[in-house]
Amino acid sequence: METWRDGRSRATDATEAIRAALAALGVAEAAWSGVRPLVTQTGRPYVDLGTLRAEVVEQLAEALRSKCH
């Protein structure tokens, strides 16, 4: 159970991080309201990004590219 809780905590933290990044880019909350944490039965953490509008993904990709250079 502790493994699952640790996974849930990591998934939740990662979800909050991507939500904060999208908000910092000026993306409206309605555009990323489907972003949510997921945890497998074995405790593996994931973030479900849901369906994002193309312009949101383009903004996110541009921000990622600018961090790489």
Side-chain angles (χ1 to χ4, degrees):
M1 189 65 165
E2 183 175 338
T3 300
W4 189 89
R5 279 192 296 258
D6 290 346
R8 180 68 180 182
S9 179
R10 288 186 63 206
T12 299
D13 290 349
T15 299
E16 291 305 316
I18 194 68
R19 286 176 177 168
L22 289 167
L25 288 172
V27 178
E29 184 176 350
W32 48 262
S33 61
V35 175
R36 62 190 178 101
L38 292 173
V39 184
T40 65
Q41 289 178 328
T42 59
R44 185 167 290 179
Y46 289 92
V47 176
D48 181 356
L49 297 177
T51 304
L52 299 173
R53 295 180 59 112
E55 61 265 16
V56 170
V57 175
E58 289 167 348
Q59 283 181 279
L60 186 54
E62 182 60 34
L64 289 169
R65 280 192 298 270
S66 71
K67 288 290 186 186
C68 294
H69 297 309

